[in-house]
PDB file of all heavy atoms in Angstrom:
ATOM      1  N   ASP P 392     141.653 302.304  85.498  1.00 90.00           N
ATOM      2  CA  ASP P 392     142.330 303.520  86.118  1.00 90.00           C
ATOM      3  C   ASP P 392     141.656 304.117  87.325  1.00 90.00           C
ATOM      4  O   ASP P 392     142.247 304.413  88.309  1.00 90.00           O
ATOM      5  CB  ASP P 392     142.573 304.628  85.075  1.00 90.00           C
ATOM      6  CG  ASP P 392     143.487 304.245  83.957  1.00 90.00           C
ATOM      7  OD1 ASP P 392     144.315 303.345  84.087  1.00 90.00           O
ATOM      8  OD2 ASP P 392     143.372 304.917  82.959  1.00 90.00           O
ATOM      9  N   GLU P 393     140.309 303.829  87.424  1.00 94.00           N
ATOM     10  CA  GLU P 393     139.559 304.318  88.510  1.00 94.00           C
ATOM     11  C   GLU P 393     139.883 303.484  89.812  1.00 94.00           C
ATOM     12  O   GLU P 393     139.716 304.131  90.852  1.00 94.00           O
ATOM     13  CB  GLU P 393     137.993 304.276  88.199  1.00 94.00           C
ATOM     14  CG  GLU P 393     137.136 304.875  89.300  1.00 94.00           C
ATOM     15  CD  GLU P 393     135.589 304.707  89.127  1.00 94.00           C
ATOM     16  OE1 GLU P 393     135.328 304.043  88.114  1.00 94.00           O
ATOM     17  OE2 GLU P 393     134.820 305.234  89.898  1.00 94.00           O
ATOM     18  N   LYS P 394     140.312 302.312  89.547  1.00 94.00           N
ATOM     19  CA  LYS P 394     140.696 301.433  90.871  1.00 94.00           C
ATOM     20  C   LYS P 394     141.828 302.173  91.632  1.00 94.00           C
ATOM     21  O   LYS P 394     141.824 302.195  92.767  1.00 94.00           O
ATOM     22  CB  LYS P 394     141.039 300.025  90.438  1.00 94.00           C
ATOM     23  CG  LYS P 394     141.270 299.182  91.557  1.00 94.00           C
ATOM     24  CD  LYS P 394     141.434 297.697  91.079  1.00 94.00           C
ATOM     25  CE  LYS P 394     141.602 296.668  92.196  1.00 94.00           C
ATOM     26  NZ  LYS P 394     141.756 295.351  91.811  1.00 94.00           N
ATOM     27  N   LEU P 395     142.809 302.639  90.878  1.00 94.00           N
ATOM     28  CA  LEU P 395     144.034 303.258  91.529  1.00 94.00           C
ATOM     29  C   LEU P 395     143.489 304.554  92.103  1.00 94.00           C
ATOM     30  O   LEU P 395     143.914 304.987  93.375  1.00 94.00           O
ATOM     31  CB  LEU P 395     145.123 303.415  90.621  1.00 94.00           C
ATOM     32  CG  LEU P 395     146.401 303.881  91.168  1.00 94.00           C
ATOM     33  CD1 LEU P 395     146.919 302.826  92.083  1.00 94.00           C
ATOM     34  CD2 LEU P 395     147.493 304.202  90.246  1.00 94.00           C
ATOM     35  N   HIS P 396     142.644 305.287  91.397  1.00 96.00           N
ATOM     36  CA  HIS P 396     142.055 306.540  92.078  1.00 96.00           C
ATOM     37  C   HIS P 396     141.187 306.327  93.224  1.00 96.00           C
ATOM     38  O   HIS P 396     141.493 307.144  94.247  1.00 96.00           O
ATOM     39  CB  HIS P 396     141.296 307.296  90.940  1.00 96.00           C
ATOM     40  CG  HIS P 396     140.407 308.341  91.456  1.00 96.00           C
ATOM     41  ND1 HIS P 396     140.951 309.714  91.841  1.00 96.00           N
ATOM     42  CD2 HIS P 396     139.151 308.489  91.829  1.00 96.00           C
ATOM     43  CE1 HIS P 396     139.912 310.294  92.268  1.00 96.00           C
ATOM     44  NE2 HIS P 396     138.906 309.717  92.286  1.00 96.00           N
ATOM     45  N   ALA P 397     140.500 305.274  93.194  1.00 96.00           N
ATOM     46  CA  ALA P 397     139.678 304.840  94.406  1.00 96.00           C
ATOM     47  C   ALA P 397     140.548 304.528  95.664  1.00 96.00           C
ATOM     48  O   ALA P 397     140.312 305.008  96.764  1.00 96.00           O
ATOM     49  CB  ALA P 397     138.754 303.764  94.026  1.00 96.00           C
ATOM     50  N   LEU P 398     141.642 303.868  95.469  1.00 96.00           N
ATOM     51  CA  LEU P 398     142.624 303.422  96.498  1.00 96.00           C
ATOM     52  C   LEU P 398     143.281 304.665  97.076  1.00 96.00           C
ATOM     53  O   LEU P 398     143.447 304.678  98.288  1.00 96.00           O
ATOM     54  CB  LEU P 398     143.508 302.392  96.000  1.00 96.00           C
ATOM     55  CG  LEU P 398     142.952 301.019  95.803  1.00 96.00           C
ATOM     56  CD1 LEU P 398     144.150 300.068  95.072  1.00 96.00           C
ATOM     57  CD2 LEU P 398     142.425 300.392  96.973  1.00 96.00           C
ATOM     58  N   ARG P 399     143.568 305.525  96.319  1.00 96.00           N
ATOM     59  CA  ARG P 399     144.221 306.743  96.710  1.00 96.00           C
ATOM     60  C   ARG P 399     143.175 307.582  97.477  1.00 96.00           C
ATOM     61  O   ARG P 399     143.447 308.204  98.542  1.00 96.00           O
ATOM     62  CB  ARG P 399     144.648 307.664  95.529  1.00 96.00           C
ATOM     63  CG  ARG P 399     145.207 309.033  95.902  1.00 96.00           C
ATOM     64  CD  ARG P 399     145.429 309.958  94.791  1.00 96.00           C
ATOM     65  NE  ARG P 399     146.033 311.153  95.162  1.00 96.00           N
ATOM     66  CZ  ARG P 399     147.346 311.618  95.025  1.00 96.00           C
ATOM     67  NH1 ARG P 399     148.183 310.893  94.260  1.00 96.00           N
ATOM     68  NH2 ARG P 399     147.728 312.735  95.377  1.00 96.00           N
ATOM     69  N   THR P 400     141.920 307.600  97.071  1.00 97.00           N
ATOM     70  CA  THR P 400     140.947 308.300  97.795  1.00 97.00           C
ATOM     71  C   THR P 400     140.700 307.689  99.154  1.00 97.00           C
ATOM     72  O   THR P 400     140.632 308.462 100.179  1.00 97.00           O
ATOM     73  CB  THR P 400     139.588 308.126  97.022  1.00 97.00           C
ATOM     74  OG1 THR P 400     139.646 308.848  95.691  1.00 97.00           O
ATOM     75  CG2 THR P 400     138.337 308.863  97.811  1.00 97.00           C
ATOM     76  N   VAL P 401     140.739 306.355  99.261  1.00 96.00           N
ATOM     77  CA  VAL P 401     140.663 305.678 100.579  1.00 96.00           C
ATOM     78  C   VAL P 401     141.778 305.993 101.436  1.00 96.00           C
ATOM     79  O   VAL P 401     141.683 306.338 102.662  1.00 96.00           O
ATOM     80  CB  VAL P 401     140.370 304.220 100.438  1.00 96.00           C
ATOM     81  CG1 VAL P 401     140.468 303.457 101.725  1.00 96.00           C
ATOM     82  CG2 VAL P 401     139.071 303.960  99.625  1.00 96.00           C
ATOM     83  N   SER P 402     143.011 305.958 100.948  1.00 95.00           N
ATOM     84  CA  SER P 402     144.176 306.275 101.708  1.00 95.00           C
ATOM     85  C   SER P 402     144.195 307.833 102.138  1.00 95.00           C
ATOM     86  O   SER P 402     144.510 308.028 103.350  1.00 95.00           O
ATOM     87  CB  SER P 402     145.436 306.086 100.735  1.00 95.00           C
ATOM     88  OG  SER P 402     146.629 306.540 101.590  1.00 95.00           O
ATOM     89  N   GLU P 403     143.819 308.751 101.263  1.00 95.00           N
ATOM     90  CA  GLU P 403     143.753 310.097 101.667  1.00 95.00           C
ATOM     91  C   GLU P 403     142.618 310.465 102.619  1.00 95.00           C
ATOM     92  O   GLU P 403     142.828 311.486 103.489  1.00 95.00           O
ATOM     93  CB  GLU P 403     143.563 310.959 100.399  1.00 95.00           C
ATOM     94  CG  GLU P 403     144.826 310.941  99.503  1.00 95.00           C
ATOM     95  CD  GLU P 403     146.012 311.650 100.062  1.00 95.00           C
ATOM     96  OE1 GLU P 403     145.941 312.837 100.272  1.00 95.00           O
ATOM     97  OE2 GLU P 403     146.977 310.874 100.469  1.00 95.00           O
ATOM     98  N   HIS P 404     141.647 309.591 102.714  1.00 95.00           N
ATOM     99  CA  HIS P 404     140.532 309.806 103.709  1.00 95.00           C
ATOM    100  C   HIS P 404     141.098 309.486 105.046  1.00 95.00           C
ATOM    101  O   HIS P 404     140.850 310.137 105.913  1.00 95.00           O
ATOM    102  CB  HIS P 404     139.331 308.873 103.352  1.00 95.00           C
ATOM    103  CG  HIS P 404     138.421 308.816 104.349  1.00 95.00           C
ATOM    104  ND1 HIS P 404     137.407 309.777 104.611  1.00 95.00           N
ATOM    105  CD2 HIS P 404     138.013 307.997 105.383  1.00 95.00           C
ATOM    106  CE1 HIS P 404     136.667 309.637 105.541  1.00 95.00           C
ATOM    107  NE2 HIS P 404     137.036 308.515 106.137  1.00 95.00           N
ATOM    108  N   MET P 405     142.001 308.555 105.172  1.00 94.00           N
ATOM    109  CA  MET P 405     142.512 308.096 106.430  1.00 94.00           C
ATOM    110  C   MET P 405     143.565 309.156 106.897  1.00 94.00           C
ATOM    111  O   MET P 405     143.590 309.700 108.048  1.00 94.00           O
ATOM    112  CB  MET P 405     142.996 306.732 106.363  1.00 94.00           C
ATOM    113  CG  MET P 405     143.626 306.194 107.696  1.00 94.00           C
ATOM    114  SD  MET P 405     144.154 304.506 107.656  1.00 94.00           S
ATOM    115  CE  MET P 405     145.590 304.580 106.502  1.00 94.00           C
ATOM    116  N   THR P 406     144.566 309.330 106.013  1.00 94.00           N
ATOM    117  CA  THR P 406     145.675 310.268 106.223  1.00 94.00           C
ATOM    118  C   THR P 406     145.916 311.110 105.074  1.00 94.00           C
ATOM    119  O   THR P 406     146.740 310.670 104.159  1.00 94.00           O
ATOM    120  CB  THR P 406     146.950 309.426 106.564  1.00 94.00           C
ATOM    121  OG1 THR P 406     146.619 308.335 107.509  1.00 94.00           O
ATOM    122  CG2 THR P 406     148.068 310.345 107.271  1.00 94.00           C
ATOM    123  N   PRO P 407     145.325 312.300 105.101  1.00 94.00           N
ATOM    124  CA  PRO P 407     145.549 313.215 103.815  1.00 94.00           C
ATOM    125  C   PRO P 407     147.182 313.499 103.647  1.00 94.00           C
ATOM    126  O   PRO P 407     147.767 313.944 104.571  1.00 94.00           O
ATOM    127  CB  PRO P 407     144.806 314.498 104.104  1.00 94.00           C
ATOM    128  CG  PRO P 407     143.735 313.939 105.169  1.00 94.00           C
ATOM    129  CD  PRO P 407     144.463 312.811 105.917  1.00 94.00           C
ATOM    130  N   GLY P 408     147.698 313.439 102.415  1.00 94.00           N
ATOM    131  CA  GLY P 408     149.022 313.605 102.062  1.00 94.00           C
ATOM    132  C   GLY P 408     149.951 312.307 102.124  1.00 94.00           C
ATOM    133  O   GLY P 408     151.083 312.461 101.622  1.00 94.00           O
ATOM    134  N   ARG P 409     149.261 311.374 102.556  1.00 95.00           N
ATOM    135  CA  ARG P 409     150.202 310.140 102.743  1.00 95.00           C
ATOM    136  C   ARG P 409     150.598 309.436 101.422  1.00 95.00           C
ATOM    137  O   ARG P 409     151.634 309.020 101.152  1.00 95.00           O
ATOM    138  CB  ARG P 409     149.567 309.105 103.697  1.00 95.00           C
ATOM    139  CG  ARG P 409     150.494 307.914 104.105  1.00 95.00           C
ATOM    140  CD  ARG P 409     151.653 308.220 104.751  1.00 95.00           C
ATOM    141  NE  ARG P 409     152.468 307.002 105.269  1.00 95.00           N
ATOM    142  CZ  ARG P 409     153.696 307.065 105.696  1.00 95.00           C
ATOM    143  NH1 ARG P 409     154.207 308.275 105.996  1.00 95.00           N
ATOM    144  NH2 ARG P 409     154.280 306.023 106.008  1.00 95.00           N
ATOM    145  N   TRP P 410     149.595 309.389 100.451  1.00 96.00           N
ATOM    146  CA  TRP P 410     149.728 308.643  99.310  1.00 96.00           C
ATOM    147  C   TRP P 410     151.007 308.957  98.556  1.00 96.00           C
ATOM    148  O   TRP P 410     151.637 308.125  98.015  1.00 96.00           O
ATOM    149  CB  TRP P 410     148.449 308.897  98.397  1.00 96.00           C
ATOM    150  CG  TRP P 410     148.488 308.015  97.188  1.00 96.00           C
ATOM    151  CD1 TRP P 410     148.890 308.487  95.972  1.00 96.00           C
ATOM    152  CD2 TRP P 410     147.935 306.730  97.028  1.00 96.00           C
ATOM    153  NE1 TRP P 410     148.771 307.525  95.101  1.00 96.00           N
ATOM    154  CE2 TRP P 410     148.162 306.361  95.620  1.00 96.00           C
ATOM    155  CE3 TRP P 410     147.373 305.739  97.894  1.00 96.00           C
ATOM    156  CZ2 TRP P 410     147.762 305.101  95.180  1.00 96.00           C
ATOM    157  CZ3 TRP P 410     147.114 304.412  97.384  1.00 96.00           C
ATOM    158  CH2 TRP P 410     147.266 304.226  95.990  1.00 96.00           C
ATOM    159  N   ASP P 411     151.194 310.248  98.515  1.00 95.00           N
ATOM    160  CA  ASP P 411     152.390 310.797  97.652  1.00 95.00           C
ATOM    161  C   ASP P 411     153.709 310.418  98.308  1.00 95.00           C
ATOM    162  O   ASP P 411     154.778 310.619  97.548  1.00 95.00           O
ATOM    163  CB  ASP P 411     152.271 312.366  97.416  1.00 95.00           C
ATOM    164  CG  ASP P 411     151.150 312.722  96.503  1.00 95.00           C
ATOM    165  OD1 ASP P 411     150.679 311.824  95.723  1.00 95.00           O
ATOM    166  OD2 ASP P 411     150.636 313.909  96.727  1.00 95.00           O
ATOM    167  N   ASP P 412     153.732 310.030  99.525  1.00 95.00           N
ATOM    168  CA  ASP P 412     154.993 309.790 100.119  1.00 95.00           C
ATOM    169  C   ASP P 412     155.363 308.283 100.062  1.00 95.00           C
ATOM    170  O   ASP P 412     156.560 307.879 100.285  1.00 95.00           O
ATOM    171  CB  ASP P 412     154.956 310.041 101.701  1.00 95.00           C
ATOM    172  CG  ASP P 412     155.274 311.584 101.946  1.00 95.00           C
ATOM    173  OD1 ASP P 412     155.602 312.233 100.938  1.00 95.00           O
ATOM    174  OD2 ASP P 412     155.294 311.937 103.129  1.00 95.00           O
ATOM    175  N   VAL P 413     154.347 307.368  99.748  1.00 95.00           N
ATOM    176  CA  VAL P 413     154.512 306.053 100.000  1.00 95.00           C
ATOM    177  C   VAL P 413     154.676 305.249  98.497  1.00 95.00           C
ATOM    178  O   VAL P 413     154.445 305.863  97.491  1.00 95.00           O
ATOM    179  CB  VAL P 413     153.624 305.250 100.780  1.00 95.00           C
ATOM    180  CG1 VAL P 413     153.562 305.810 102.162  1.00 95.00           C
ATOM    181  CG2 VAL P 413     152.158 305.456 100.118  1.00 95.00           C
ATOM    182  N   ARG P 414     155.248 304.022  98.423  1.00 95.00           N
ATOM    183  CA  ARG P 414     155.281 303.296  97.250  1.00 95.00           C
ATOM    184  C   ARG P 414     153.845 303.059  96.786  1.00 95.00           C
ATOM    185  O   ARG P 414     153.074 302.524  97.607  1.00 95.00           O
ATOM    186  CB  ARG P 414     156.031 302.003  97.525  1.00 95.00           C
ATOM    187  CG  ARG P 414     155.979 301.017  96.249  1.00 95.00           C
ATOM    188  CD  ARG P 414     156.643 299.762  96.630  1.00 95.00           C
ATOM    189  NE  ARG P 414     156.142 298.926  97.599  1.00 95.00           N
ATOM    190  CZ  ARG P 414     155.015 298.244  97.548  1.00 95.00           C
ATOM    191  NH1 ARG P 414     154.442 298.084  96.382  1.00 95.00           N
ATOM    192  NH2 ARG P 414     154.619 297.496  98.540  1.00 95.00           N
ATOM    193  N   PRO P 415     153.527 303.225  95.496  1.00 93.00           N
ATOM    194  CA  PRO P 415     152.174 302.830  95.145  1.00 93.00           C
ATOM    195  C   PRO P 415     152.094 301.310  95.010  1.00 93.00           C
ATOM    196  O   PRO P 415     153.051 300.573  94.894  1.00 93.00           O
ATOM    197  CB  PRO P 415     152.139 303.475  93.651  1.00 93.00           C
ATOM    198  CG  PRO P 415     153.598 303.540  93.306  1.00 93.00           C
ATOM    199  CD  PRO P 415     154.367 303.815  94.588  1.00 93.00           C
ATOM    200  N   PRO P 416     150.834 300.881  94.935  1.00 94.00           N
ATOM    201  CA  PRO P 416     150.548 299.538  94.768  1.00 94.00           C
ATOM    202  C   PRO P 416     151.179 298.855  93.605  1.00 94.00           C
ATOM    203  O   PRO P 416     151.144 299.462  92.487  1.00 94.00           O
ATOM    204  CB  PRO P 416     149.076 299.349  94.769  1.00 94.00           C
ATOM    205  CG  PRO P 416     148.552 300.647  95.201  1.00 94.00           C
ATOM    206  CD  PRO P 416     149.566 301.707  94.824  1.00 94.00           C
ATOM    207  N   THR P 417     151.658 297.569  93.623  1.00 94.00           N
ATOM    208  CA  THR P 417     152.146 296.812  92.577  1.00 94.00           C
ATOM    209  C   THR P 417     150.901 296.238  91.823  1.00 94.00           C
ATOM    210  O   THR P 417     149.832 296.179  92.282  1.00 94.00           O
ATOM    211  CB  THR P 417     153.173 295.628  92.937  1.00 94.00           C
ATOM    212  OG1 THR P 417     152.397 294.746  93.719  1.00 94.00           O
ATOM    213  CG2 THR P 417     154.197 296.295  93.768  1.00 94.00           C
ATOM    214  N   ALA P 418     151.183 295.672  90.681  1.00 92.00           N
ATOM    215  CA  ALA P 418     150.051 295.019  89.968  1.00 92.00           C
ATOM    216  C   ALA P 418     149.591 293.833  90.597  1.00 92.00           C
ATOM    217  O   ALA P 418     148.320 293.593  90.676  1.00 92.00           O
ATOM    218  CB  ALA P 418     150.644 294.518  88.495  1.00 92.00           C
ATOM    219  N   GLN P 419     150.393 293.072  91.377  1.00 94.00           N
ATOM    220  CA  GLN P 419     149.970 291.987  92.134  1.00 94.00           C
ATOM    221  C   GLN P 419     149.108 292.427  93.280  1.00 94.00           C
ATOM    222  O   GLN P 419     148.156 291.932  93.685  1.00 94.00           O
ATOM    223  CB  GLN P 419     151.176 291.111  92.728  1.00 94.00           C
ATOM    224  CG  GLN P 419     150.796 289.923  93.402  1.00 94.00           C
ATOM    225  CD  GLN P 419     150.018 288.921  92.493  1.00 94.00           C
ATOM    226  OE1 GLN P 419     150.259 288.864  91.300  1.00 94.00           O
ATOM    227  NE2 GLN P 419     149.011 288.119  93.127  1.00 94.00           N
ATOM    228  N   GLU P 420     149.474 293.567  93.880  1.00 93.00           N
ATOM    229  CA  GLU P 420     148.793 294.144  95.086  1.00 93.00           C
ATOM    230  C   GLU P 420     147.436 294.644  94.632  1.00 93.00           C
ATOM    231  O   GLU P 420     146.338 294.444  95.347  1.00 93.00           O
ATOM    232  CB  GLU P 420     149.505 295.173  95.760  1.00 93.00           C
ATOM    233  CG  GLU P 420     150.764 294.671  96.595  1.00 93.00           C
ATOM    234  CD  GLU P 420     151.647 295.780  97.103  1.00 93.00           C
ATOM    235  OE1 GLU P 420     151.667 296.860  96.413  1.00 93.00           O
ATOM    236  OE2 GLU P 420     152.556 295.581  97.873  1.00 93.00           O
ATOM    237  N   LEU P 421     147.380 295.199  93.443  1.00 92.00           N
ATOM    238  CA  LEU P 421     146.086 295.735  92.856  1.00 92.00           C
ATOM    239  C   LEU P 421     145.121 294.457  92.504  1.00 92.00           C
ATOM    240  O   LEU P 421     143.900 294.489  92.813  1.00 92.00           O
ATOM    241  CB  LEU P 421     146.276 296.492  91.605  1.00 92.00           C
ATOM    242  CG  LEU P 421     146.845 297.904  91.782  1.00 92.00           C
ATOM    243  CD1 LEU P 421     147.188 298.418  90.349  1.00 92.00           C
ATOM    244  CD2 LEU P 421     145.888 298.675  92.529  1.00 92.00           C
TER     245      LEU P 421
END
Side-chain angles (χ1 to χ4, degrees):
D392 293 341
E393 187 183 3
K394 185 174 183 179
L395 192 62
H396 168 74
L398 291 173
R399 180 186 181 114
T400 299
V401 173
S402 174
E403 290 294 291
H404 174 77
M405 181 174 68
T406 314
R409 184 65 175 172
W410 182 269
D411 290 334
D412 273 1
V413 299
R414 174 183 64 78
T417 64
Q419 187 61 34
E420 289 170 340
L421 286 173

